[in-house]
């Protein structure tokens, strides 16, 4: 920097001082910092004499921060054991165990400012005993904060709920960590396949998987899961007890069977039947074949939510939301699996006023309708000359036109049947990703 410039000005004329006085700059051109260097967000102060980052965060009310104080980096451990054996009659078998363990899996937003569970238990006991709930009592507001929801001098509320002062960070109405490695998963599966190659041409493959996926979080970007085929994801109701949120994953597929095949039918010249056919007869009976894929899969587990009026615990604003219903003890949830009542809706009850519901984050005993689909094709290859041939195919997708139903209503509002039950337990749509029976024809010239 030249002697005739500053951070705020440039192209100045320097006038030397006399008698030991400091020199001066005149005739300056204003520079990019003519108003001084502005402090970055978070360095503005509250009060003005003490700049700090916390004052900026607190003024946002319910911020989400990077987990910079305790970063946990996710990783996955995988385990595999595979046994293969060649069997007689052209069969080949493969049986494998595949497992994985996810560690420090991230959540998009992890609440770290929830009132401790000990005070929730105390509130529930007081409520059941008919006593005033201590955490719900207004007290004089001792906080001074730029957070307008807590109070900032002239505009602050004179009172505040006692429970607010019992939260880990009482100066915030909410505080979350973004992308925090709080959670984990466990996956175990049996994977078996049987393959047969036929001497006359063709292959049969049967693949079966039996698995279980347990997690206490489902996805870093849970909002992308939607509510279609999987029915969304299970929400956390108690961030103080993430081990208690461990359940089946929302994406758990416990059983899946896929049968695929390509078979040349044994008719015509050189085949088992009509092997002596020649001329026009051979052109008609030879070259026939079939192929297809048959899929059976269990549906995704259901996520039962509370859709009634917010409980007093939720309404207190102490960092607790997504309360789930209670489960009626000894009740079988299965039901008759009809479209109007896919499961037993009477197995659920409203959650307690000052406690957590007993329903799991993801219900292990209830699943949406699964997949039952047959895709089939029949084809005919005809060789016209040594250089030219033709193949005609007829393909059937969803051959038997099985409906693939959508997810039943899982939002329970305390009403079991009738117009006011919010569609709980009812199936009112099909799976948007599945199609009705589709037939298509194709003709291919080969040269």
């Amino acid at each position: 920097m030249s002697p005739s410039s500053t951070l705020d000005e440039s192209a100045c004329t320097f006038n030397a001082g006399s008698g030991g006085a400091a020199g001066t700059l005149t005739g300056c051109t204003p520079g990019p910092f003519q108003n001084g260097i502005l402090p970055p967000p978070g360095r503005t102060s509250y009060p003005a004499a003490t700049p700090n980052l916390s004052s900026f965060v607190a003024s946002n009310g319910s911020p989400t921060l990077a987990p910079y104080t305790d970063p946990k980096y996710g990783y996955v451990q995988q385990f595999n054991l595979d046994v293969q054996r060649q069997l007689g009659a052209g069969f080949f078998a493969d049986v494998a165990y595949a497992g994985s363990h996810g560690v420090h899996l991230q959540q998009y937003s992890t609440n770290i400012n929830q009132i401790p569970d000990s005070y929730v238990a105390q509130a529930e006991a007081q409520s059941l005993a008919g006593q005033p709930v201590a955490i719900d009592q207004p007290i004089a507001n001792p906080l001074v904060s730029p957070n307008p929801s807590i109070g900032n001098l002239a505009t602050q509320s004179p009172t505040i709920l006692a429970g607010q002062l019992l939260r880990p960070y009482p100066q915030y109405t909410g505080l979350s960590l973004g992308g925090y490695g709080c959670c984990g998963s466990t996956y175990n599966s049996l994977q078996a396949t049987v393959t047969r190659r036929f001497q006359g041409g063709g292959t049969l493959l049967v693949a079966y998987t039996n698995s279980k996926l347990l997690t206490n979080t489902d996805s870093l970007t849970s909002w992308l899961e939607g509510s279609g085929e999987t029915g969304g994801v299970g929400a956390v109701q108690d961030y103080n007890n993430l081990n208690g949120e461990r359940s089946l994953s929302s994406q758990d597929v416990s059983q899946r069977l896929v049968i695929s095949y390509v078979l040349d039918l044994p008719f015509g010249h050189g085949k088992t039947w009509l092997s002596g056919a020649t001329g026009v007869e051979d052109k008609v009976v030879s070259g026939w074949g079939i192929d297809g894929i048959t899929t059976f899969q269990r549906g995704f587990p259901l996520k039962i939510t509370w859709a009634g009026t917010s409980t007093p615990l939720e309404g207190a604003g102490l960092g607790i939301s997504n309360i789930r219903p209670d489960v009626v003890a000894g009740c079988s949830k299965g039901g008759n699996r009809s479209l109007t009542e896919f499961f037993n809706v009477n197995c659920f009850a409203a959650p307690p006023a000052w406690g957590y519901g007993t329903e799991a984050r993801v219900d292990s005993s209830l699943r949406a309708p699964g997949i039952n689909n047959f895709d089939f094709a029949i084809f005919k290859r005809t060789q016209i000359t040594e250089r030219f041939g033709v193949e005609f195919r007829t393909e059937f997708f969803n051959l038997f036109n099985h409906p693939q139903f959508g997810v039943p209503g899982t939002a329970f509002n305390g009403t079991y049947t009738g117009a006011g039950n919010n569609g709980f337990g009812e199936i009112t749509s099909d799976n948007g990703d599945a199609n009705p029976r589709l037939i298509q024809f194709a003709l291919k010239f080969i040269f």
Side-chain angles (χ1 to χ4, degrees):
M1 183 182 294
S2 67
S4 57
S5 299
T6 71
L7 285 175
D8 298 342
E9 300 168 314
S10 62
C12 303
T13 300
F14 179 71
N15 302 305
S18 60
T24 60
L25 297 176
T26 60
C28 299
T29 301
F33 303 108
Q34 58 183 302
N35 296 319
I37 300 177
L38 299 178
R43 300 310 299 173
T44 53
S45 61
Y46 185 87
T50 57
N52 64 88
L53 179 63
S54 296
S55 64
F56 170 76
V57 173
S59 66
N60 281 267
S62 301
T64 297
L65 304 179
Y68 57 88
T69 59
D70 186 21
K72 296 180 178 180
Y73 304 103
Y75 60 93
V76 176
Q77 302 166 333
Q78 295 182 320
F79 322 98
N80 297 279
L81 176 64
D82 196 334
V83 177
Q84 300 177 345
R85 183 168 179 83
Q86 184 73 47
L87 305 175
F91 283 98
F92 177 80
D94 187 326
V95 180
Y97 162 78
S100 66
H101 178 213
V103 182
H104 299 326
L105 301 182
Q106 295 180 334
Q107 270 189 336
Y108 177 73
S109 180
T110 302
N111 180 8
I112 60 171
N113 198 25
Q114 178 183 309
I115 188 172
D117 286 346
S118 58
Y119 295 110
V120 176
Q122 179 190 65
E124 184 173 17
Q126 291 170 336
S127 174
L128 293 175
Q131 300 171 354
V133 175
I135 62 175
D136 197 41
Q137 302 306 306
I139 61 173
N141 185 0
L143 298 175
V144 177
S145 168
N147 182 349
S149 299
I150 300 298
N152 55 355
L153 297 180
T155 62
Q156 73 182 57
S157 172
T159 62
I160 195 170
L161 287 184
Q164 180 66 31
L165 300 181
L166 301 173
R167 300 174 72 176
Y169 305 94
Q171 65 271 40
Y172 307 110
T173 51
L175 184 61
S176 301
L177 297 181
Y180 182 53
C182 61
C183 302
S185 68
T186 302
Y187 175 76
N188 293 285
S189 68
L190 168 69
Q191 302 176 6
T193 61
V194 175
T195 305
R196 187 184 181 191
R197 300 185 184 278
F198 294 92
Q199 204 169 29
T203 303
L204 171 66
L205 173 64
V206 180
Y208 172 74
T209 300
N210 189 311
S211 66
K212 176 179 284 190
L213 175 58
L214 298 172
T215 66
N216 54 4
T217 188
D218 289 316
S219 171
L220 178 61
T221 54
S222 58
W223 65 90
L224 295 178
E225 296 300 323
S227 57
E229 187 176 358
T230 66
V233 299
V236 173
Q237 72 172 348
D238 185 3
Y239 280 96
N240 288 333
N241 183 20
L242 286 174
N243 287 335
E245 298 293 327
R246 186 175 175 85
S247 67
L248 281 182
S249 169
S250 298
Q251 291 89 28
D252 176 72
V253 176
S254 61
Q255 295 189 73
R256 180 177 173 89
L257 174 66
V258 179
I259 304 170
S260 58
Y261 50 90
V262 179
L263 300 175
D264 293 329
L265 299 183
F267 302 105
H269 183 74
K271 300 292 185 178
T272 304
W273 289 288
L274 302 176
S275 59
T278 58
V280 175
E281 180 187 12
D282 181 52
K283 300 295 184 184
V284 173
V285 299
S286 297
W288 289 93
I290 59 174
D291 59 51
I293 301 175
T294 301
T295 305
F296 302 99
Q297 177 182 302
R298 293 198 69 189
F300 293 99
L302 300 183
K303 284 68 69 175
I304 306 298
T305 61
W306 171 245
T309 304
S310 296
T311 68
L313 179 59
E314 291 178 298
L318 301 176
I320 296 175
S321 59
N322 302 318
I323 294 294
R324 298 189 288 267
D326 268 348
V327 177
V328 177
C331 185
S332 175
K333 298 178 184 177
N336 56 18
R337 296 182 65 83
S338 67
L339 294 181
T340 55
E341 188 176 323
F342 194 71
F343 53 84
N344 188 353
V345 297
N346 296 296
C347 287
F348 301 92
W354 289 96
Y356 301 109
T358 57
E359 170 67 2
R361 188 178 63 87
V362 178
D363 199 307
S364 62
S365 61
L366 296 178
R367 290 183 177 269
I371 297 175
N372 179 4
N373 186 71
F374 295 79
D375 294 335
F376 177 79
I378 184 168
F379 57 88
K380 172 74 168 71
R381 300 189 187 101
T382 303
Q383 197 67 30
I384 301 174
T385 67
E386 288 187 3
R387 295 185 56 192
F388 296 96
V390 65
E391 179 180 325
F392 179 75
R393 296 180 60 86
T394 303
E395 298 173 333
F396 302 84
F397 299 93
N398 192 4
L399 174 64
F400 300 110
N401 204 26
H402 284 152
Q404 309 291 337
F405 292 114
V407 178
T410 56
F412 175 57
N413 63 5
T415 302
Y416 296 101
T417 58
N421 79 333
N422 199 38
F424 185 57
E426 297 180 11
I427 294 180
T428 59
S429 64
D430 60 7
N431 185 346
D433 296 330
N435 295 313
R437 179 168 50 217
L438 174 67
I439 305 175
Q440 67 182 24
F441 304 95
L443 181 64
K444 179 168 64 175
F445 292 97
I446 304 169
F447 58 92

